[in-house]
Amino acid sequence: MGQIHSFLFIFLCILGYGELAKGVSGLACNWGLQSTHPLPPNIVVRLLKDNGFDKVKLFEADPGALKALGRSGIQVMVGIPNDMLASLASNVGNAEAWVQQNVSNYISNHGTDIRSIAIGNEPFLHDYKDRFVNTIFPALQNIQAALIKAGLGKQVKVTIPLNADVYQTDTGLPSGGYFRPELQNLMMNIIKFLQDNGGFLAINIYPFLSMQADPSFPKEYAFFNNTAKPLVDGSIVYTNVYDANFDTLISALEKSGFGHMPVVIGEVGWPTDGDSSANIDNAKRFNQALLDRIVHGQGSPRRRTPPDVYIFSLYDEDHKSTLPGNFERHWGIFKYDGSIKYPLDMGNGRAIVPAKGVKYLARQWCVMSPSAGVSDPNTLAQSITYACENGDCTSLGYGSSCGNLDAQSNASYAFNTYFQTMNQSKGACNFNNMAVITTVDPSKPPCRFEIMIDTRQQKKASPTPSPTVYRSSAAEIEDIFAALITGIVGLFTLI
């Protein structure tokens, strides 16, 4: 009987832990692919798993990523770029072909858990000048029709990731929220269609960009744990712009008769470089508080139920457009190679974990030769410009991590970023005989001279092997639970 009591005790403990695990939601993030030297997809999937991410959003249907995510236990949102909207809107057959190739194929043949499709990305931005206004809704309708035809209409949901500029408030208060007048009718059609088909709204909220856009914006209000003066909206007090922004949308939905429309945060985060406010301290402060909210299931004042929140972004992308600002390439909570930028508690005391198994190019850098003369400053300037146009110099400049380098180190940084981007190829460290290769790390903290990931073997790799089946903690608990049941039944049989 003592043995039975021991089994029962363990059984009850595991049962309790299992119930606890069911009540804890995982983390979600955006996995961007605009890198000159991307991390191998299998390493990224392990990075996601190691850090508790069980949902991920892709901005495009990348074959390598979708295969690696197969049987991983990670739920996937697949994106469709804006430049594909016209084709998908013009012909439902194009939408059917896209769904077959990028959704049905990976679900059936690779076990990829595709749960939703993000159609377009912020299509109503003012900067697009109505370019996608006439194609986004027909594209949404055709993709939904294609999913239904493929037998995936209930399994795979649709959404449109929107920027927060689709709604506004004239009072400065969230309760005054309404959709932009020129988009009101279109938004009503989209939201009703999403609701009728079990879809959801995805909204991108960026306190950092709110701060950037308005010189008078109170900086502290961009953070969760702050000393800013609160915003009083009737009986509700807002202590941060994230909640105020989100509830402005909720108010707009309520006024339009869609107060219960499901909403997720498609993108939110803070960059670490490329601007004086984009730094390690601010990013850690914002993202840690954001993670704490997610882990504790905290919603907003107007909608207490917490939404899924997709952190932007997983790691830095050195090939993104810098049109919005140099910070665009530095949104990752990890560096380009999956190494840790700053410590984070990913929930319940679980520390952030770096990527494993990353292979780099040779340990060498390209720097300006100590003997190089600057008798021809035009040639030097042209060389630096060429290097930065073909590499990534967004960490240079005022307020950035490499903003305090001297002139020679500035040139060295530019030369090295080009050298690494070109895979340290022969002739990539010349620059009119002004540069040399060194094996001595020229980094000057906080400025880091990078060595790129070696992606050459990825390009030569043989066909993708069968994906690894990753076991979630919940699945492991189920196995233990089943084993204990078997053991207990066996013991009772012996009585």
Side-chain angles (χ1 to χ4, degrees), residues 51-66:
N51 287 284
F53 291 101
D54 62 7
K55 298 182 183 70
V56 70
K57 176 155 71 78
L58 302 174
F59 290 92
E60 56 191 285
D62 179 75
L66 287 169

Side-chain angles (χ1 to χ4, degrees), residues 241-273:
V241 71
Y242 174 92
D243 281 335
N245 192 322
F246 184 81
D247 276 2
T248 304
L249 169 62
I250 300 304
S251 293
L253 287 170
E254 290 171 349
K255 291 174 184 174
S256 303
F258 297 98
H260 298 290
M261 183 69 192
V263 179
V264 307
I265 305 298
E267 299 176 24
V268 61
W270 198 283
T272 55
D273 211 346

Side-chain angles (χ1 to χ4, degrees), residues 31 33 40-42 44-45 48 56-79 98-117 464-465 467-468:
W31 174 1
L33 297 162
N42 63 313
V44 176
V45 171
L48 292 167
V56 70
K57 176 155 71 78
L58 302 174
F59 290 92
E60 56 191 285
D62 179 75
L66 287 169
K67 288 178 183 177
L69 286 163
R71 303 180 181 88
S72 65
I74 297 174
Q75 298 176 12
V76 183
M77 185 189 303
V78 182
W98 187 91
V99 167
Q100 174 57 40
Q101 179 180 346
N102 300 296
V103 182
S104 300
N105 171 41
Y106 291 103
I107 291 175
S108 301
N109 299 324
H110 301 279
T112 309
D113 189 7
I114 298 175
R115 295 294 185 95
S116 56
I117 300 174
T464 305
T468 303

Side-chain angles (χ1 to χ4, degrees), residues 336-355:
Y336 73 101
D337 58 354
S339 59
I340 295 173
K341 287 185 177 181
Y342 46 85
L344 281 173
D345 180 347
M346 306 301 287
N348 301 318
R350 183 181 61 220
I352 191 170
V353 178

Side-chain angles (χ1 to χ4, degrees), residues 390-470:
N390 295 279
D392 177 25
C393 293
T394 54
S395 292
L396 294 174
Y398 175 75
S400 299
S401 62
C402 300
N404 293 322
L405 297 179
D406 56 41
Q408 183 163 339
S409 296
N410 262 318
S412 293
Y413 187 94
F415 293 166
N416 184 66
T417 192
Y418 175 82
F419 179 61
Q420 303 295 339
T421 301
M422 296 296 117
N423 289 315
Q424 302 181 355
S425 60
K426 185 178 180 180
C429 184
N430 186 296
F431 297 101
N432 297 300
N433 297 316
M434 289 187 292
V436 295
I437 293 174
T438 179
T439 57
V440 178
D441 187 351
S443 297
K444 297 181 178 181
C447 182
R448 176 178 165 184
F449 283 55
E450 307 287 3
I451 294 177
M452 275 297 176
I453 299 169
D454 189 349
T455 58
R456 293 170 296 184
Q457 292 303 314
Q458 295 182 50
K459 297 173 183 177
K460 298 176 183 177
S462 56
T464 305
S466 298
T468 303
V469 179
Y470 297 101

